[in-house]
CSV table of all heavy atoms in Angstrom, one decimal:
chain,number,residue,atom,x,y,z
A,350,GLY,N,-95.9,-52.6,-44.1
A,350,GLY,CA,-95.1,-51.7,-43.2
A,350,GLY,C,-95.8,-50.4,-42.8
A,350,GLY,O,-97.0,-50.4,-42.6
A,351,HIS,N,-95.0,-49.3,-42.9
A,351,HIS,CA,-95.5,-48.0,-42.4
A,351,HIS,C,-96.7,-47.6,-43.2
A,351,HIS,O,-97.5,-46.7,-42.7
A,351,HIS,CB,-94.4,-47.0,-42.4
A,351,HIS,CG,-93.5,-47.1,-41.3
A,351,HIS,ND1,-93.7,-46.6,-40.1
A,351,HIS,CD2,-92.3,-47.7,-41.3
A,351,HIS,CE1,-92.7,-46.9,-39.3
A,351,HIS,NE2,-91.8,-47.6,-40.0
A,352,ALA,N,-96.9,-48.0,-44.5
A,352,ALA,CA,-98.0,-47.6,-45.3
A,352,ALA,C,-99.3,-47.8,-44.6
A,352,ALA,O,-100.3,-47.0,-44.7
A,352,ALA,CB,-98.0,-48.3,-46.6
A,353,LEU,N,-99.4,-48.9,-43.8
A,353,LEU,CA,-100.7,-49.1,-43.1
A,353,LEU,C,-100.5,-48.9,-41.6
A,353,LEU,O,-101.5,-48.6,-40.9
A,353,LEU,CB,-101.1,-50.6,-43.3
A,353,LEU,CG,-101.4,-50.9,-44.8
A,353,LEU,CD1,-102.0,-52.3,-44.9
A,353,LEU,CD2,-102.4,-49.9,-45.4
A,354,SER,N,-99.3,-49.1,-41.0
A,354,SER,CA,-99.2,-49.0,-39.5
A,354,SER,C,-99.1,-47.6,-39.0
A,354,SER,O,-99.2,-47.3,-37.8
A,354,SER,CB,-98.1,-49.9,-39.0
A,354,SER,OG,-96.9,-49.3,-39.4
A,355,ASP,N,-98.8,-46.6,-39.9
A,355,ASP,CA,-98.7,-45.2,-39.4
A,355,ASP,C,-100.1,-44.6,-39.2
A,355,ASP,O,-101.1,-45.0,-39.8
A,355,ASP,CB,-98.0,-44.4,-40.5
A,355,ASP,CG,-96.5,-44.4,-40.3
A,355,ASP,OD1,-96.0,-45.2,-39.4
A,355,ASP,OD2,-95.8,-43.8,-41.1
A,356,GLU,N,-100.1,-43.6,-38.3
A,356,GLU,CA,-101.4,-43.0,-38.0
A,356,GLU,C,-102.0,-42.3,-39.3
A,356,GLU,O,-101.3,-41.8,-40.1
A,356,GLU,CB,-101.1,-41.9,-37.0
A,356,GLU,CG,-102.4,-41.1,-36.6
A,356,GLU,CD,-102.1,-40.0,-35.5
A,356,GLU,OE1,-100.9,-39.7,-35.3
A,356,GLU,OE2,-103.1,-39.4,-35.1
A,357,CYS,N,-103.3,-42.3,-39.4
A,357,CYS,CA,-104.0,-41.6,-40.4
A,357,CYS,C,-105.0,-40.6,-39.7
A,357,CYS,O,-105.9,-41.0,-39.0
A,357,CYS,CB,-104.8,-42.5,-41.3
A,357,CYS,SG,-106.0,-41.7,-42.5
A,358,PHE,N,-104.6,-39.3,-39.7
A,358,PHE,CA,-105.4,-38.3,-38.9
A,358,PHE,C,-106.7,-38.0,-39.7
A,358,PHE,O,-106.7,-37.3,-40.7
A,358,PHE,CB,-104.6,-37.1,-38.7
A,358,PHE,CG,-105.2,-36.1,-37.7
A,358,PHE,CD1,-105.1,-36.3,-36.4
A,358,PHE,CD2,-105.9,-35.0,-38.2
A,358,PHE,CE1,-105.7,-35.4,-35.5
A,358,PHE,CE2,-106.4,-34.1,-37.3
A,358,PHE,CZ,-106.3,-34.3,-35.9
A,359,GLY,N,-107.8,-38.6,-39.2
A,359,GLY,CA,-109.1,-38.4,-39.9
A,359,GLY,C,-109.9,-39.6,-39.7
A,359,GLY,O,-109.5,-40.6,-39.0
A,360,PRO,N,-111.2,-39.6,-40.2
A,360,PRO,CA,-112.1,-40.7,-40.0
A,360,PRO,C,-111.9,-41.9,-40.8
A,360,PRO,O,-112.8,-42.3,-41.6
A,360,PRO,CB,-113.5,-40.0,-40.3
A,360,PRO,CG,-113.1,-39.0,-41.4
A,360,PRO,CD,-111.7,-38.5,-41.1
A,361,ALA,N,-110.8,-42.5,-40.7
A,361,ALA,CA,-110.5,-43.8,-41.4
A,361,ALA,C,-109.9,-44.8,-40.5
A,361,ALA,O,-109.2,-44.5,-39.5
A,361,ALA,CB,-109.5,-43.4,-42.5
A,362,ALA,N,-110.2,-46.1,-40.8
A,362,ALA,CA,-109.6,-47.2,-40.0
A,362,ALA,C,-109.4,-48.4,-41.0
A,362,ALA,O,-110.0,-48.4,-42.1
A,362,ALA,CB,-110.5,-47.5,-38.9
A,363,ILE,N,-108.6,-49.3,-40.5
A,363,ILE,CA,-108.3,-50.5,-41.3
A,363,ILE,C,-108.6,-51.7,-40.4
A,363,ILE,O,-108.1,-51.8,-39.3
A,363,ILE,CB,-106.8,-50.5,-41.7
A,363,ILE,CG1,-106.4,-49.2,-42.5
A,363,ILE,CG2,-106.5,-51.8,-42.5
A,363,ILE,CD1,-104.9,-49.0,-42.7
A,364,VAL,N,-109.4,-52.6,-41.0
A,364,VAL,CA,-109.6,-53.9,-40.4
A,364,VAL,C,-108.5,-54.9,-40.8
A,364,VAL,O,-108.3,-55.0,-42.1
A,364,VAL,CB,-111.0,-54.5,-40.8
A,364,VAL,CG1,-111.2,-55.9,-40.3
A,364,VAL,CG2,-112.1,-53.6,-40.3
A,365,VAL,N,-107.8,-55.4,-39.9
A,365,VAL,CA,-106.8,-56.4,-40.2
A,365,VAL,C,-107.3,-57.8,-39.8
A,365,VAL,O,-107.6,-58.0,-38.6
A,365,VAL,CB,-105.4,-56.1,-39.5
A,365,VAL,CG1,-104.3,-57.1,-39.9
A,365,VAL,CG2,-105.0,-54.6,-39.8
A,366,GLU,N,-107.4,-58.7,-40.7
A,366,GLU,CA,-107.9,-60.0,-40.4
A,366,GLU,C,-106.8,-61.0,-40.1
A,366,GLU,O,-105.9,-61.2,-40.9
A,366,GLU,CB,-108.7,-60.5,-41.6
A,366,GLU,CG,-110.0,-59.6,-41.8
A,366,GLU,CD,-110.8,-60.1,-43.0
A,366,GLU,OE1,-110.3,-60.7,-43.9
A,366,GLU,OE2,-112.1,-59.9,-42.9
A,367,TYR,N,-106.9,-61.5,-38.8
A,367,TYR,CA,-105.8,-62.5,-38.4
A,367,TYR,C,-106.4,-63.9,-38.2
A,367,TYR,O,-107.6,-64.0,-38.0
A,367,TYR,CB,-105.2,-62.0,-37.1
A,367,TYR,CG,-106.1,-62.1,-35.9
A,367,TYR,CD1,-106.1,-63.2,-35.0
A,367,TYR,CD2,-106.9,-61.0,-35.5
A,367,TYR,CE1,-106.9,-63.3,-33.9
A,367,TYR,CE2,-107.8,-61.1,-34.4
A,367,TYR,CZ,-107.7,-62.2,-33.6
A,367,TYR,OH,-108.6,-62.3,-32.5
A,368,GLU,N,-105.6,-64.9,-38.4
A,368,GLU,CA,-106.0,-66.2,-38.2
A,368,GLU,C,-105.3,-66.8,-37.0
A,368,GLU,O,-105.9,-67.2,-36.0
A,368,GLU,CB,-105.8,-67.1,-39.5
A,368,GLU,CG,-106.4,-68.4,-39.4
A,368,GLU,CD,-106.4,-69.2,-40.7
A,368,GLU,OE1,-105.8,-68.6,-41.7
A,368,GLU,OE2,-106.9,-70.3,-40.8
A,369,ASP,N,-104.0,-66.8,-37.1
A,369,ASP,CA,-103.1,-67.3,-36.1
A,369,ASP,C,-102.8,-66.2,-35.0
A,369,ASP,O,-102.4,-65.1,-35.4
A,369,ASP,CB,-101.8,-67.7,-36.8
A,369,ASP,CG,-100.8,-68.4,-35.9
A,369,ASP,OD1,-101.0,-68.3,-34.6
A,369,ASP,OD2,-99.8,-69.0,-36.4
A,370,PRO,N,-103.0,-66.5,-33.8
A,370,PRO,CA,-102.7,-65.5,-32.7
A,370,PRO,C,-101.3,-65.0,-32.8
A,370,PRO,O,-101.0,-63.9,-32.4
A,370,PRO,CB,-103.0,-66.3,-31.4
A,370,PRO,CG,-103.9,-67.3,-31.8
A,370,PRO,CD,-103.6,-67.7,-33.2
A,371,THR,N,-100.4,-65.9,-33.3
A,371,THR,CA,-99.0,-65.5,-33.4
A,371,THR,C,-98.8,-64.3,-34.4
A,371,THR,O,-98.1,-63.3,-34.1
A,371,THR,CB,-98.1,-66.6,-33.9
A,371,THR,OG1,-98.3,-67.8,-33.1
A,371,THR,CG2,-96.6,-66.3,-33.8
A,372,ASP,N,-99.5,-64.3,-35.5
A,372,ASP,CA,-99.5,-63.2,-36.5
A,372,ASP,C,-100.0,-61.9,-35.8
A,372,ASP,O,-99.5,-60.8,-36.0
A,372,ASP,CB,-100.5,-63.5,-37.6
A,372,ASP,CG,-99.9,-64.6,-38.5
A,372,ASP,OD1,-98.7,-64.8,-38.5
A,372,ASP,OD2,-100.7,-65.2,-39.3
A,373,LEU,N,-101.0,-62.1,-34.9
A,373,LEU,CA,-101.5,-60.9,-34.2
A,373,LEU,C,-100.4,-60.3,-33.3
A,373,LEU,O,-100.2,-59.1,-33.3
A,373,LEU,CB,-102.7,-61.4,-33.3
A,373,LEU,CG,-103.4,-60.4,-32.5
A,373,LEU,CD1,-104.0,-59.3,-33.3
A,373,LEU,CD2,-104.4,-61.1,-31.6
A,374,LEU,N,-99.7,-61.2,-32.6
A,374,LEU,CA,-98.6,-60.7,-31.7
A,374,LEU,C,-97.5,-60.0,-32.5
A,374,LEU,O,-97.0,-59.0,-32.1
A,374,LEU,CB,-98.1,-61.8,-30.8
A,374,LEU,CG,-99.1,-62.4,-29.8
A,374,LEU,CD1,-98.6,-63.6,-29.1
A,374,LEU,CD2,-99.5,-61.3,-28.8
A,375,VAL,N,-97.2,-60.7,-33.6
A,375,VAL,CA,-96.1,-60.1,-34.5
A,375,VAL,C,-96.5,-58.7,-35.0
A,375,VAL,O,-95.8,-57.7,-34.9
A,375,VAL,CB,-95.8,-61.0,-35.7
A,375,VAL,CG1,-94.9,-60.3,-36.7
A,375,VAL,CG2,-95.1,-62.3,-35.2
A,376,SER,N,-97.8,-58.6,-35.4
A,376,SER,CA,-98.3,-57.3,-36.0
A,376,SER,C,-98.2,-56.2,-34.9
A,376,SER,O,-97.8,-55.1,-35.1
A,376,SER,CB,-99.7,-57.5,-36.5
A,376,SER,OG,-99.8,-58.5,-37.4
A,377,LEU,N,-98.7,-56.6,-33.7
A,377,LEU,CA,-98.7,-55.6,-32.6
A,377,LEU,C,-97.3,-55.2,-32.2
A,377,LEU,O,-97.0,-54.1,-31.8
A,377,LEU,CB,-99.5,-56.1,-31.4
A,377,LEU,CG,-101.0,-56.2,-31.7
A,377,LEU,CD1,-101.7,-57.0,-30.5
A,377,LEU,CD2,-101.6,-54.8,-31.7
A,378,GLY,N,-96.4,-56.2,-32.2
A,378,GLY,CA,-95.1,-56.0,-31.8
A,378,GLY,C,-94.3,-55.0,-32.7
A,378,GLY,O,-93.4,-54.3,-32.3
A,379,GLU,N,-94.8,-54.9,-34.0
A,379,GLU,CA,-94.1,-54.0,-34.9
A,379,GLU,C,-94.8,-52.6,-35.0
A,379,GLU,O,-94.3,-51.7,-35.7
A,379,GLU,CB,-94.1,-54.6,-36.3
A,379,GLU,CG,-93.2,-55.9,-36.3
A,379,GLU,CD,-92.9,-56.4,-37.6
A,379,GLU,OE1,-93.3,-55.8,-38.6
A,379,GLU,OE2,-92.1,-57.3,-37.7
A,380,ILE,N,-95.9,-52.4,-34.2
A,380,ILE,CA,-96.5,-51.1,-34.2
A,380,ILE,C,-95.6,-50.1,-33.4
A,380,ILE,O,-95.0,-50.5,-32.4
A,380,ILE,CB,-97.9,-51.2,-33.6
A,380,ILE,CG1,-98.9,-51.8,-34.7
A,380,ILE,CG2,-98.4,-49.9,-33.1
A,380,ILE,CD1,-100.2,-52.1,-34.1
A,381,GLU,N,-95.6,-48.9,-33.9
A,381,GLU,CA,-94.9,-47.9,-33.1
A,381,GLU,C,-95.6,-47.6,-31.8
A,381,GLU,O,-96.8,-47.9,-31.7
A,381,GLU,CB,-94.7,-46.6,-33.9
A,381,GLU,CG,-93.7,-46.7,-35.1
A,381,GLU,CD,-93.4,-45.4,-35.7
A,381,GLU,OE1,-94.4,-44.7,-36.0
A,381,GLU,OE2,-92.2,-45.1,-35.9
A,382,GLY,N,-94.9,-46.9,-30.9
A,382,GLY,CA,-95.5,-46.6,-29.6
A,382,GLY,C,-96.9,-45.8,-29.8
A,382,GLY,O,-97.0,-45.0,-30.7
A,383,CYS,N,-97.9,-46.2,-28.9
A,383,CYS,CA,-99.2,-45.6,-29.0
A,383,CYS,C,-99.7,-45.1,-27.7
A,383,CYS,O,-99.1,-45.5,-26.6
A,383,CYS,CB,-100.2,-46.7,-29.4
A,383,CYS,SG,-100.0,-47.4,-31.1
A,384,LEU,N,-100.6,-44.2,-27.7
A,384,LEU,CA,-101.3,-43.8,-26.5
A,384,LEU,C,-102.1,-44.9,-25.9
A,384,LEU,O,-102.2,-45.0,-24.7
A,384,LEU,CB,-102.1,-42.5,-26.8
A,384,LEU,CG,-101.4,-41.3,-27.2
A,384,LEU,CD1,-102.3,-40.2,-27.8
A,384,LEU,CD2,-100.6,-40.7,-26.0
A,385,THR,N,-102.8,-45.6,-26.7
A,385,THR,CA,-103.7,-46.7,-26.2
A,385,THR,C,-103.6,-48.0,-27.0
A,385,THR,O,-103.2,-48.0,-28.2
A,385,THR,CB,-105.2,-46.2,-26.3
A,385,THR,OG1,-105.6,-46.2,-27.7
A,385,THR,CG2,-105.4,-44.8,-25.8
A,386,ALA,N,-104.1,-49.0,-26.4
A,386,ALA,CA,-104.3,-50.3,-27.0
A,386,ALA,C,-105.5,-51.0,-26.3
A,386,ALA,O,-105.6,-50.9,-25.1
A,386,ALA,CB,-103.1,-51.2,-26.9
A,387,THR,N,-106.4,-51.6,-27.1
A,387,THR,CA,-107.6,-52.0,-26.6
A,387,THR,C,-107.9,-53.5,-26.9
A,387,THR,O,-107.6,-54.0,-28.0
A,387,THR,CB,-108.8,-51.2,-27.2
A,387,THR,OG1,-108.6,-49.8,-26.9
A,387,THR,CG2,-110.1,-51.6,-26.7
A,388,ILE,N,-108.4,-54.2,-25.9
A,388,ILE,CA,-108.9,-55.6,-26.2
A,388,ILE,C,-110.4,-55.6,-26.0
A,388,ILE,O,-110.9,-55.1,-25.0
A,388,ILE,CB,-108.2,-56.6,-25.1
A,388,ILE,CG1,-106.7,-56.5,-25.1
A,388,ILE,CG2,-108.7,-58.0,-25.4
A,388,ILE,CD1,-106.1,-57.4,-24.1
A,389,GLN,N,-111.0,-56.2,-27.0
A,389,GLN,CA,-112.4,-56.6,-26.9
A,389,GLN,C,-112.5,-58.1,-26.7
A,389,GLN,O,-112.2,-58.8,-27.7
A,389,GLN,CB,-113.2,-56.1,-28.1
A,389,GLN,CG,-113.2,-54.6,-28.4
A,389,GLN,CD,-114.1,-53.9,-27.4
A,389,GLN,OE1,-115.1,-54.4,-26.8
A,389,GLN,NE2,-113.9,-52.6,-27.3
A,390,GLY,N,-112.9,-58.5,-25.5
A,390,GLY,CA,-112.9,-60.0,-25.3
A,390,GLY,C,-114.0,-60.4,-24.4
A,390,GLY,O,-114.9,-59.6,-24.1
A,391,THR,N,-114.0,-61.6,-23.9
A,391,THR,CA,-115.1,-62.1,-23.0
A,391,THR,C,-114.4,-62.8,-21.8
A,391,THR,O,-113.2,-63.0,-21.8
A,391,THR,CB,-116.0,-63.1,-23.7
A,391,THR,OG1,-115.3,-64.3,-23.8
A,391,THR,CG2,-116.4,-62.6,-25.1
A,392,SER,N,-115.2,-63.1,-20.9
A,392,SER,CA,-114.7,-63.8,-19.7
A,392,SER,C,-114.0,-65.1,-20.1
A,392,SER,O,-113.1,-65.6,-19.4
A,392,SER,CB,-115.8,-64.1,-18.7
A,392,SER,OG,-116.8,-64.8,-19.3
A,393,GLN,N,-114.4,-65.7,-21.2
A,393,GLN,CA,-113.8,-67.0,-21.6
A,393,GLN,C,-112.3,-66.8,-22.1
A,393,GLN,O,-111.6,-67.7,-22.1
A,393,GLN,CB,-114.6,-67.6,-22.8
A,393,GLN,CG,-115.9,-68.2,-22.4
A,393,GLN,CD,-116.8,-68.4,-23.6
A,393,GLN,OE1,-117.4,-67.4,-24.1
A,393,GLN,NE2,-116.9,-69.6,-24.0
A,394,ASP,N,-112.0,-65.6,-22.4
A,394,ASP,CA,-110.6,-65.3,-22.9
A,394,ASP,C,-109.6,-65.1,-21.8
A,394,ASP,O,-108.4,-65.1,-22.1
A,394,ASP,CB,-110.6,-64.0,-23.8
A,394,ASP,CG,-111.5,-64.2,-25.0
A,394,ASP,OD1,-111.4,-65.2,-25.7
A,394,ASP,OD2,-112.3,-63.2,-25.3
A,395,LEU,N,-110.1,-64.9,-20.6
A,395,LEU,CA,-109.2,-64.3,-19.6
A,395,LEU,C,-107.9,-65.2,-19.4
A,395,LEU,O,-106.9,-64.7,-19.1
A,395,LEU,CB,-109.9,-64.2,-18.3
A,395,LEU,CG,-111.0,-63.1,-18.3
A,395,LEU,CD1,-111.7,-63.0,-17.0
A,395,LEU,CD2,-110.5,-61.7,-18.8
A,396,GLY,N,-108.1,-66.5,-19.5
A,396,GLY,CA,-106.9,-67.3,-19.3
A,396,GLY,C,-105.8,-67.3,-20.4
A,396,GLY,O,-104.7,-67.7,-20.2
A,397,ASN,N,-106.2,-66.7,-21.6
A,397,ASN,CA,-105.3,-66.7,-22.7
A,397,ASN,C,-104.7,-65.4,-23.1
A,397,ASN,O,-104.2,-65.2,-24.2
A,397,ASN,CB,-106.0,-67.3,-23.9
A,397,ASN,CG,-106.6,-68.6,-23.6
A,397,ASN,OD1,-106.0,-69.5,-23.0
A,397,ASN,ND2,-107.9,-68.8,-23.9
A,398,LEU,N,-104.9,-64.4,-22.3
A,398,LEU,CA,-104.5,-63.0,-22.7
A,398,LEU,C,-103.2,-62.4,-22.1
A,398,LEU,O,-102.9,-61.3,-22.4
A,398,LEU,CB,-105.7,-62.1,-22.5
A,398,LEU,CG,-107.0,-62.4,-23.3
A,398,LEU,CD1,-108.1,-61.4,-22.8
A,398,LEU,CD2,-106.7,-62.2,-24.8
A,399,SER,N,-102.6,-63.2,-21.3
A,399,SER,CA,-101.4,-62.5,-20.6
A,399,SER,C,-100.4,-62.1,-21.6
A,399,SER,O,-99.8,-61.0,-21.4
A,399,SER,CB,-100.9,-63.5,-19.5
A,399,SER,OG,-100.3,-64.6,-20.1
A,400,GLU,N,-100.1,-62.9,-22.6
A,400,GLU,CA,-99.0,-62.4,-23.5
A,400,GLU,C,-99.5,-61.2,-24.3
A,400,GLU,O,-98.7,-60.3,-24.5
A,400,GLU,CB,-98.7,-63.6,-24.5
A,400,GLU,CG,-97.3,-63.5,-25.2
A,400,GLU,CD,-97.0,-64.7,-26.0
A,400,GLU,OE1,-97.7,-65.7,-26.0
A,400,GLU,OE2,-96.0,-64.6,-26.8
A,401,LEU,N,-100.7,-61.2,-24.8
A,401,LEU,CA,-101.2,-60.1,-25.5
A,401,LEU,C,-101.2,-58.8,-24.6
A,401,LEU,O,-100.8,-57.7,-25.1
A,401,LEU,CB,-102.7,-60.3,-26.0
A,401,LEU,CG,-103.4,-59.2,-26.7
A,401,LEU,CD1,-102.7,-58.9,-28.0
A,401,LEU,CD2,-104.8,-59.6,-27.0
A,402,LEU,N,-101.6,-59.0,-23.4
A,402,LEU,CA,-101.7,-57.8,-22.5
A,402,LEU,C,-100.3,-57.3,-22.2
A,402,LEU,O,-100.0,-56.1,-22.2
A,402,LEU,CB,-102.4,-58.2,-21.2
A,402,LEU,CG,-102.8,-57.0,-20.4
A,402,LEU,CD1,-104.2,-56.5,-20.9
A,402,LEU,CD2,-103.0,-57.4,-18.9
A,403,ALA,N,-99.3,-58.2,-22.0
A,403,ALA,CA,-97.9,-57.8,-21.8
A,403,ALA,C,-97.4,-57.0,-23.0
A,403,ALA,O,-96.7,-55.9,-22.8
A,403,ALA,CB,-97.1,-59.0,-21.5
A,404,LEU,N,-97.7,-57.5,-24.2
A,404,LEU,CA,-97.2,-56.8,-25.4
A,404,LEU,C,-97.9,-55.4,-25.5
A,404,LEU,O,-97.2,-54.4,-25.8
A,404,LEU,CB,-97.6,-57.7,-26.6
A,404,LEU,CG,-97.1,-57.1,-27.9
A,404,LEU,CD1,-95.6,-57.0,-28.0
A,404,LEU,CD2,-97.6,-58.1,-29.1
A,405,MET,N,-99.2,-55.4,-25.3
A,405,MET,CA,-99.9,-54.1,-25.3
A,405,MET,C,-99.3,-53.1,-24.3
A,405,MET,O,-99.1,-51.9,-24.6
A,405,MET,CB,-101.4,-54.3,-25.1
A,405,MET,CG,-102.1,-54.8,-26.3
A,405,MET,SD,-103.9,-54.9,-26.0
A,405,MET,CE,-104.5,-55.0,-27.7
A,406,SER,N,-99.0,-53.6,-23.1
A,406,SER,CA,-98.5,-52.8,-22.0
A,406,SER,C,-97.1,-52.2,-22.4
A,406,SER,O,-96.7,-51.1,-21.9
A,406,SER,CB,-98.4,-53.5,-20.7
A,406,SER,OG,-99.6,-54.0,-20.3
A,407,SER,N,-96.4,-52.9,-23.3
A,407,SER,CA,-95.1,-52.4,-23.7
A,407,SER,C,-95.2,-51.4,-24.8
A,407,SER,O,-94.2,-50.7,-25.1
A,407,SER,CB,-94.2,-53.6,-24.0
A,407,SER,OG,-94.5,-54.1,-25.3
A,408,ARG,N,-96.3,-51.5,-25.6
A,408,ARG,CA,-96.4,-50.6,-26.8
A,408,ARG,C,-97.3,-49.4,-26.6
A,408,ARG,O,-97.4,-48.5,-27.4
A,408,ARG,CB,-97.0,-51.4,-28.0
A,408,ARG,CG,-96.2,-52.7,-28.4
A,408,ARG,CD,-94.7,-52.5,-28.5
A,408,ARG,NE,-94.4,-51.4,-29.5
A,408,ARG,CZ,-93.4,-50.5,-29.4
A,408,ARG,NH1,-92.6,-50.6,-28.3
A,408,ARG,NH2,-93.2,-49.6,-30.3
A,409,ALA,N,-98.1,-49.4,-25.5
A,409,ALA,CA,-99.0,-48.3,-25.3
A,409,ALA,C,-99.0,-47.8,-23.8
A,409,ALA,O,-98.7,-48.6,-22.9
A,409,ALA,CB,-100.4,-48.8,-25.7
A,410,GLY,N,-99.4,-46.6,-23.6
A,410,GLY,CA,-99.5,-46.1,-22.2
A,410,GLY,C,-100.8,-46.4,-21.5
A,410,GLY,O,-100.8,-46.3,-20.3
A,411,ARG,N,-101.8,-46.7,-22.2
A,411,ARG,CA,-103.1,-47.0,-21.6
A,411,ARG,C,-103.7,-48.3,-22.3
A,411,ARG,O,-103.7,-48.3,-23.5
A,411,ARG,CB,-104.1,-45.9,-21.7
A,411,ARG,CG,-105.5,-46.1,-21.0
A,411,ARG,CD,-106.3,-44.8,-20.8
A,411,ARG,NE,-106.4,-44.0,-22.0
A,411,ARG,CZ,-107.5,-43.8,-22.6
A,411,ARG,NH1,-108.7,-44.3,-22.2
A,411,ARG,NH2,-107.5,-43.0,-23.7
A,412,VAL,N,-104.1,-49.2,-21.5
A,412,VAL,CA,-104.6,-50.5,-22.1
A,412,VAL,C,-106.1,-50.6,-21.6
A,412,VAL,O,-106.4,-50.5,-20.4
A,412,VAL,CB,-103.8,-51.7,-21.6
A,412,VAL,CG1,-104.4,-53.0,-22.2
A,412,VAL,CG2,-102.3,-51.5,-22.1
A,413,LEU,N,-107.0,-50.8,-22.6
A,413,LEU,CA,-108.4,-50.8,-22.3
A,413,LEU,C,-109.0,-52.2,-22.5
A,413,LEU,O,-108.6,-52.9,-23.4
A,413,LEU,CB,-109.2,-49.8,-23.1
A,413,LEU,CG,-108.8,-48.3,-23.0
A,413,LEU,CD1,-107.7,-48.0,-24.1
A,413,LEU,CD2,-110.0,-47.4,-23.3
A,414,TRP,N,-110.0,-52.5,-21.8
A,414,TRP,CA,-110.8,-53.7,-21.9
A,414,TRP,C,-112.2,-53.4,-22.2
A,414,TRP,O,-112.9,-52.7,-21.4
A,414,TRP,CB,-110.7,-54.6,-20.6
A,414,TRP,CG,-111.5,-55.8,-20.6
A,414,TRP,CD1,-112.7,-55.9,-19.9
A,414,TRP,CD2,-111.3,-57.1,-21.1
A,414,TRP,NE1,-113.2,-57.2,-20.0
A,414,TRP,CE2,-112.3,-57.9,-20.7
A,414,TRP,CE3,-110.2,-57.6,-21.8
A,414,TRP,CZ2,-112.4,-59.3,-21.1
A,414,TRP,CZ3,-110.3,-59.0,-22.2
A,414,TRP,CH2,-111.4,-59.8,-21.8
A,415,ASN,N,-112.8,-53.9,-23.3
A,415,ASN,CA,-114.2,-53.7,-23.6
A,415,ASN,C,-114.7,-52.3,-23.5
A,415,ASN,O,-115.8,-52.0,-23.0
A,415,ASN,CB,-115.0,-54.7,-22.8
A,415,ASN,CG,-114.8,-56.1,-23.2
A,415,ASN,OD1,-114.1,-56.4,-24.1
A,415,ASN,ND2,-115.4,-57.0,-22.5
Side-chain angles (χ1 to χ4, degrees):
Chain A
H351 284 279
L353 298 185
S354 68
D355 275 3
E356 181 182 7
C357 172
F358 190 78
I363 303 169
V364 172
V365 183
E366 294 180 331
Y367 70 92
E368 189 170 4
D369 183 346
T371 308
D372 289 339
L373 178 64
L374 293 173
V375 169
S376 304
L377 288 169
E379 294 196 356
I380 284 174
E381 288 191 313
C383 293
L384 293 167
T385 72
T387 301
I388 305 176
Q389 298 285 338
T391 75
S392 56
Q393 289 164 280
D394 297 317
L395 295 180
N397 307 311
L398 292 175
S399 62
E400 201 175 350
L401 177 63
L402 197 80
L404 182 62
M405 284 184 162
S406 301
S407 77
R408 304 310 305 145
R411 180 164 53 112
V412 180
L413 301 90
W414 172 263
N415 291 356

